[in-house]
Each structure stands twice: as C-alpha cells, then as structure tokens.
Amino acid sequence: MQRRTVLQAGIAASVFQIVPRHVLGGPGHTPPSETIHIALIGAGGRGRQVLRGMLAEEGVRAIAVADPATEYSLQQFYYRDVGGREPTRELIDRHYQEQGRAGRCAVYEDFREMLQAERDLDAVVCATPDHLHAYVSALALKAGKHVYCEKPLTHNIAEARYLADLAASSGLATQMGNQGHSADGMRQTLEWLAAGAIGQVQRVEAWVGGHRWNPTLTGRPEEQNDAPPWLNWDLWMGPREGYRFSDAYVPVAWRDFWAFGNSNIGDFGCHDLDAACWALDLAAPTSIEFHPAGPSNQEIGPHGCVGYYHFPATEKRGPVEVTWMDGGLKPRRPVGWDANRPLPSRGILFHGSEGVLFC
C-alpha cells in the first residue's frame, strides 16, 4: 500500500491510541524505529574504547558482540583493561541495566554466525587485528550492514581498493576510525596552513616513538604452542595459514609481524601523517623510499624506520617532500626552536617558505 492510502485508511477509521513518549520519540527520547542496532566485532582494547563512545549515544543500541577470545587481560598494555566477548557482554548489559532498559546482549565466537543470526542488526564496528579488517568489513557489507572499521582500514593496498569499490557499490554508510582526525589541534593546524601562516609548505617531517612489542625477536617466534582454552586460534588467524599460537602474537604484539600488522607506519601513519595529507591534499606520491632502523625481514618489522615520500606539484601548491621516522628517531630541531627544549617523542613539522609550524 502507498503511504497516502495508509494515512487515508487510518483517518477514516478514526483509530487513535495514547502511547508513551519514549515510543514516539521527542526531547531526550529516540523512537525504536530510529535506533541503530550495532554489533562489535573484535572486543579488544580499542574495540571496547569505541564501544564506550557509541554506548553514550542516545540513538544507538549495542545488541551483539563477536570475538574468538572469551576473556583476557590487557593490564600490561596502555589500555589497562580486559578484552574478550564475555567481559564486553557484561559491559553492555550493565550499561543498559543502569538505564533501566531491558534486554541482553548476544555473544558469538564467530562473527559470521552473528551476521546470519542477528536480523535486527544495522551496523557493525570492526576492531579486530589489522589482517582481518578487510575480511570482516567485506562480509558485513555483503550482508547489508553499515560498517565502522578501525584504522588502518586494510592490511594492504589490494584490500583497500577492493573494499573501496565494494563500499561504493553497496550504498551503505562506511567510515574508518581515526579519532585524531576530529581533534581541535589538527583542525587549527589546517586553518593556519590554509591562511598561509608559514607561506608555501615545501617539506614535512613526522615522527612517532613507537617501538617493537617483541624487542628480542629476529623473525617468527620459535616457541609456538597450542592456543589457550580462552582463544579460538583458527578464527583469530582468519585467512592466514601456517601459524601456531604464540604469546608473541596475542594480545596487541601481533603488530610486529607483517602477516598480521604493518609495524609502526601501519599503526601510527594514519594519525601522524593525517594533518599533512589533509592540509596539503597529498594523493599518490611519485616515489617512496624506506630504510629500516634495526633488523627486519619478511616475518617481522624493524625497531624503527625512516621513510621518504615525494609528492609532485599541483595547481594549488608546489612539490612536497615528506619524511617519516619512528622507533625513537627524530628530526633536527628547526631554526628558532628553544635550545633547552627537546623535540617531543611525537609530532609533525611543516617547513614553509616563511616559517615552521609544529603540530
């Protein structure tokens, strides 16, 4: 029936009903028809951080969580938290109980089963290890779910191109999580650069003090064991093959290994190069050159690295040289910098024709 026909039928019948305000919506209330039902896939430290932010939104309801791990500790990492599907389910249920809202969060070991079972699910948050981002996001999009995926969006360029095409053809809402992109400091930097505060930017230096989680390893860990009872290792590996469980991988430390992560540049590049890419509209570079600082091979990333990007001139600016450093490496202090003040462990310098800007 067309909407006009439905309305006419309703008016003719003169059927009216008094319902509570929370059903229809109104100030401070979101009607059920407009509530977004979300699920968290990957209930580790970052996943739980994103979840807490979304639980604070009135129009969002978390209805499911999927993770191959039951429960594990993140106390020794900067999250100072726990991970896994069970404590995350408890977090969600406790949140709604405190609000007096009924319902219980569903839990799944395999996110694929969740996508099939949860018919009311609208969107997913993907916060798995990097090697699963494209895999999870693609299956969610094919299932008709909107996707918020943590950075880096994918593990490699081929996955990024595939996922971009899939997102465009799906007509669904998608977003990559990069919280620094919304920070006032970055936006102020963009405004200053756009206003010509330091003239034409010619050179950029970005650095971060990120390091290896496994400082003594020189390759794949030799001691690889059976997975602990709290983890489905096969699901955690996803499309990867030939790796046995090791404490060197789980939790968090998987970033060291090329099979699962992309070292410091893959972890921090989207944050610390964001201001430069955004302000200067940096697209594809004409050349990239990277050098490891410390041992590296096909299995494991280096302790640090130095990278050089060359971006050609555009109609709005001249050529730009970008230098990346991590693992504790830093650029020289620019002219005019206080000699008694060392450069911080993390930052980005814009060298312009009329000055230098630090972010």
Side-chain angles (χ1 to χ4, degrees):
M1 298 175 69
Q2 293 183 352
R3 182 173 180 272
R4 180 186 300 271
T5 308
V6 174
L7 291 175
Q8 289 173 342
I11 294 171
S14 298
V15 177
F16 296 96
Q17 186 176 3
I18 298 175
V19 295
R21 175 183 292 273
H22 72 268
V23 174
L24 297 177
H29 296 283
T30 302
S33 61
E34 296 181 8
T35 299
I36 301 172
H37 293 143
I38 67 166
L40 175 64
I41 302 175
R46 182 59 190 148
R48 286 167 60 88
Q49 286 178 338
V50 174
L51 175 66
R52 288 186 176 99
M54 291 191 172
L55 288 176
E57 298 294 330
E58 173 67 24
V60 173
R61 180 71 185 242
I63 64 171
V65 58
D67 195 296
T70 307
E71 181 174 357
Y72 57 93
S73 174
L74 288 166
Q75 287 298 319
Q76 63 177 331
F77 300 96
Y78 64 93
Y79 296 110
R80 298 292 188 267
D81 197 5
V82 293
R85 59 183 181 271
E86 284 302 328
T88 305
R89 176 191 60 77
E90 294 172 2
L91 170 67
I92 295 171
D93 287 346
R94 184 169 60 250
H95 171 79
Y96 292 125
Q97 288 170 5
E98 292 172 353
Q99 292 185 340
R101 300 169 68 180
R104 184 176 176 83
C105 174
V107 292
Y108 295 87
E109 187 176 56
D110 191 332
F111 80 95
R112 296 168 297 183
E113 295 178 3
M114 181 193 72
L115 291 176
Q116 292 180 346
E118 297 296 326
R119 299 301 183 186
D120 293 333
L121 183 61
D122 298 309
V124 303
V125 175
C126 175
T128 65
D130 296 356
H131 71 290
L132 289 167
H133 283 187
Y135 182 57
V136 169
S137 298
L139 290 183
L141 288 171
K142 290 180 179 180
K145 312 304 179 186
H146 306 288
V147 174
Y148 174 102
C149 184
E150 263 301 309
K151 61 82 190 171
L153 182 61
T154 65
H155 185 257
N156 57 57
I157 295 172
E159 288 179 348
R161 290 172 175 163
Y162 172 80
L163 203 59
D165 289 342
L166 182 59
S169 63
S170 71
L172 297 164
T174 61
Q175 181 178 349
M176 184 188 79
N178 189 349
Q179 66 270 30
H181 198 72
S182 301
D184 289 339
M186 185 175 296
R187 293 177 180 272
Q188 188 177 43
T189 298
L190 263 65
E191 291 171 4
W192 283 343
L193 292 173
I198 61 171
Q200 287 289 319
V201 176
Q202 303 157 337
R203 186 163 54 92
V204 177
E205 294 173 306
W207 68 99
V208 64
H211 56 82
R212 275 243 216 106
W213 295 104
N214 297 281
T216 60
L217 289 181
T218 58
R220 189 181 300 198
E222 294 182 2
E223 292 188 10
Q224 300 188 52
N225 309 304
D226 293 334
W230 52 265
L231 177 65
N232 185 322
W233 178 243
D234 184 61
L235 284 178
W236 190 95
M237 280 198 303
R240 298 293 181 266
E241 294 180 340
Y243 290 84
R244 294 186 63 188
F245 173 82
S246 171
D247 291 335
Y249 299 139
V250 180
V252 179
W254 50 263
R255 290 192 180 279
D256 289 351
F257 303 91
W258 299 123
F260 309 120
N262 280 306
S263 193
N264 289 320
I265 183 66
D267 189 6
F268 298 109
C270 64
H271 294 307
D272 298 80
L273 291 174
D274 189 10
C277 292
W278 197 2
L280 305 176
D281 193 23
L282 303 180
T286 54
S287 66
I288 306 172
E289 179 183 339
F290 264 73
H291 300 274
S296 178
N297 52 47
Q298 292 181 342
E299 293 287 345
I300 195 167
H303 294 283
C305 68
V306 180
Y308 305 98
Y309 300 81
H310 172 75
F311 294 90
T314 67
E315 295 180 356
K316 297 182 179 180
R317 59 158 176 78
V320 178
E321 302 290 338
V322 176
T323 301
W324 168 269
M325 286 167 276
D326 64 49
L329 302 174
K330 298 181 182 180
R332 295 177 179 176
R333 285 180 293 191
V335 175
W337 190 278
D338 186 350
N340 297 318
R341 178 190 173 199
L343 287 174
S345 62
R346 189 175 185 179
I348 183 169
L349 286 170
F350 294 88
H351 299 266
S353 57
E354 300 178 23
V356 178
L357 177 64
F358 170 74
C359 174

